[in-house]
Amino acid sequence: MADRKHEENGVSSKSNEVIADFDPPKKPKRNKYAFACAMLASMTSILLGYDIGVMSGAQKYIQRDLHCSDKQIEILVGILNLYSLVGSAAAGRTSDWIGRRYTIVLAGAIFFVGAILMGFATNYAFLMVGRFVAGIGVGYALMIAPVYTAEVSPASARGFLTSFPEVFINAGIMFGYVSNYAFSKLPTHLGWRFMLGIGAVPSVFLAVGVLGMPESPRWLIMQGRLGDAKIVLDKTSDSLEESKLRLADIKEAAGIPADCNDDIVQVSKQSHGEGIWKELWIHPTPTVRHILIAALGIHFFQQASGIDSVVLYSPRIFEKAGIVKDTPQLLATIAVGFVKTTFILVATFLLDRIGRRPLLLSSIAGMIMSLMSLGIALTIIDHSDHKVPWAITLSIAMVLSYVAFFSIGMGPITWVYSSEIFPLRLRAQGCSIGVAVNRVTSGVITMTFISLYNAITIGGAFFLFTGVAVVGCVFFYTLFPETQGKNLEEVEQVFGTFFRWRSRQAELDRQKEAEMIANKTES
């Protein structure tokens, strides 16, 4: 009887084990340490956001005080994007040399100097010098924040955490808009100087806060510091098993033998950056070529679809729509910042649940609809000899709709996607190229927007952005694999087949399923 009972218990225990095998895996708790690291690093992006937001309102007062032409204002507003190329080009090499963490500190320090120079500018030339210095800091921040965040994030939360730079860009834009409104009542010669100069304050706190962060585990391994990297990985992973897997993946990518567990090891020169540019541009493999096209493409279409024109020139757009007074224009602009920030927060929670592709395609489809409707409304207003209240309302609604759709997908996914698809050895330089394309495109668009709408009307400008967004939608649909839930070192396996990536993905899924079944059978 006892034997039978024991046998029944044994059967029951076995069946429970079998049932447990087929239970869905429990979702790991959010890693608070990785969350804090990602947040601190990403806050550097607030510098760019603040500059974009504050310049949208400050430009009007600068023009009145310094008697600048529209062309000078166009150049002043957009030139920071081209200046940031210096920073983003240097950031890849700098981050491999001094580390990701100290590169973030450097970004804050450079922007601090630029903000002070702009705040004390006495003429247009002095102001341009301040823009140049601030632009270098912005370039550093834009490149390094998503790289560091991707390298400390566990796979389960990488989309959520890597979207933080875009969250803080939007927060910075919102602060810039509020700063415009807060200082707009000061005398003209003081108002814009306070608007620009106050941007030095957050850069100090950011630079100090970042010093409390750990160094990126991938950078530590590139330096041969396995012991230090293991400590960081244990803290930033969801489990010790994941930490070991991440360590093994990075060691393999860095060319370190799997059985090497010394705290300090010698790393091949290739891991320090030699030959990277040749591998990216001159002799890329099909996988690297596909990754490069995807990364540069998403950065190009993010900006070519007109987002920075809407954000930087929103007071002018509202003026064209029929809102002529300064205060209502600035309040409507604050509404743009509020909507943009709200929807980027929503997007952070959807990235790791829905996936990159569905959000990206939904986002750009909504942007196309909003841009088309905005173009129609502004064209009607432009050709009417009296106020058209419904068209004014539609214009405001479509600006808000456009930034909402942008923030739900295109905004954060650009930084998430481009920071996670490059292999370790190419990541810093690859991301710096992506940032360069992003800033050049933004610079060209924002430095020509006033001239563009003067040439083809304000409605025509938004029809042009609509066409660009349509091309971008086709590009994303055909060339972009899903990366949700994959380890950074696994992501590159999906690339290299270009338009046939779906069949490659299906093959990898079958292999993974077969391995899982084999492991369960063995156990």
Side-chain angles (χ1 to χ4, degrees), residues 80-99:
L80 180 130
N81 296 300
L82 300 186
Y83 290 155
S84 69
L85 292 178
V86 179
S88 63
R93 188 62 178 163
T94 304
S95 67
D96 282 345
W97 178 39
I98 65 173

Side-chain angles (χ1 to χ4, degrees), residues 149-428:
T149 306
E151 292 182 348
V152 297
S153 303
S156 64
R158 193 174 61 246
F160 174 71
L161 298 179
T162 316
S163 65
F164 277 15
E166 183 68 15
V167 172
F168 284 105
I169 286 175
N170 283 274
I173 289 171
M174 184 68 184
F175 290 145
Y177 287 160
V178 172
S179 176
N180 287 154
Y181 183 75
F183 294 116
S184 63
K185 306 302 180 185
L186 292 177
T188 302
H189 71 285
L190 288 178
W192 67 265
R193 288 183 169 86
F194 272 98
M195 292 174 191
L196 298 179
I198 206 75
V201 175
S203 63
V204 175
F205 291 104
L206 292 175
V208 172
V210 167
L211 290 174
M213 292 163 28
E215 186 49 84
S216 153
R218 285 175 171 79
W219 183 81
L220 291 170
I221 289 176
M222 287 165 64
Q223 308 308 306
R225 294 164 58 183
L226 289 188
D228 292 338
K230 187 179 182 303
I231 293 169
V232 178
L233 285 169
D234 287 347
K235 289 182 178 181
T236 59
S237 299
D238 291 329
S239 66
L240 288 176
E241 289 75 15
E242 187 192 9
S243 173
K244 290 175 184 175
L245 286 172
R246 289 173 70 187
L247 180 63
D249 286 340
I250 302 169
K251 281 164 66 176
E252 182 182 354
I256 300 172
D259 58 354
C260 180
N261 293 308
D262 297 338
D263 284 348
I264 304 292
V265 299
Q266 288 283 37
V267 181
S268 64
K269 289 183 179 180
Q270 183 66 25
S271 297
H272 291 280
E274 286 76 4
I276 296 298
W277 296 108
K278 187 183 291 185
E279 187 174 353
L280 278 170
W281 291 114
I282 301 173
H283 301 298
T285 63
T287 297
V288 170
R289 190 180 295 115
H290 187 179
I291 287 171
L292 195 61
I293 290 170
L296 301 192
I298 196 169
H299 276 288
F300 171 78
F301 284 110
Q302 186 201 50
Q303 293 301 328
S305 54
I307 185 62
D308 277 2
S309 291
V310 171
V311 173
L312 276 163
Y313 294 105
S314 50
R316 287 177 182 260
I317 294 169
F318 290 132
E319 185 178 4
K320 290 287 184 180
I323 303 173
V324 293
K325 293 184 178 178
D326 284 0
T327 299
Q329 282 177 18
L330 293 176
L331 289 173
T333 301
I334 290 174
V336 171
F338 178 77
V339 169
K340 201 169 185 296
T341 305
T342 301
F343 277 88
I344 190 67
L345 291 172
V346 173
T348 60
F349 293 99
L350 297 179
L351 275 165
D352 287 314
R353 297 182 184 182
I354 296 177
R356 283 50 157 167
R357 268 181 63 84
L359 274 182
L360 182 61
L361 294 174
S362 302
S363 168
I364 198 161
M367 288 165 60
I368 291 167
M369 179 273 293
S370 302
L371 286 167
M372 177 67 75
S373 302
L374 179 58
I376 291 169
L378 289 172
T379 300
I380 290 170
I381 292 168
D382 205 28
H383 288 80
S384 178
D385 54 2
H386 60 278
K387 270 200 170 186
V388 187
W390 68 265
I392 296 172
T393 303
L394 180 62
S395 296
I396 296 169
M398 286 304 101
V399 169
L400 298 178
S401 169
Y402 171 69
V403 298
F405 276 114
F406 176 88
S407 294
I408 206 78
M410 178 74 91
I413 290 173
T414 296
W415 304 104
V416 172
Y417 206 85
S418 60
S419 65
E420 69 185 359
I421 61 177
F422 281 104
L424 170 65
R425 66 189 182 280
L426 307 176
R427 187 166 298 133

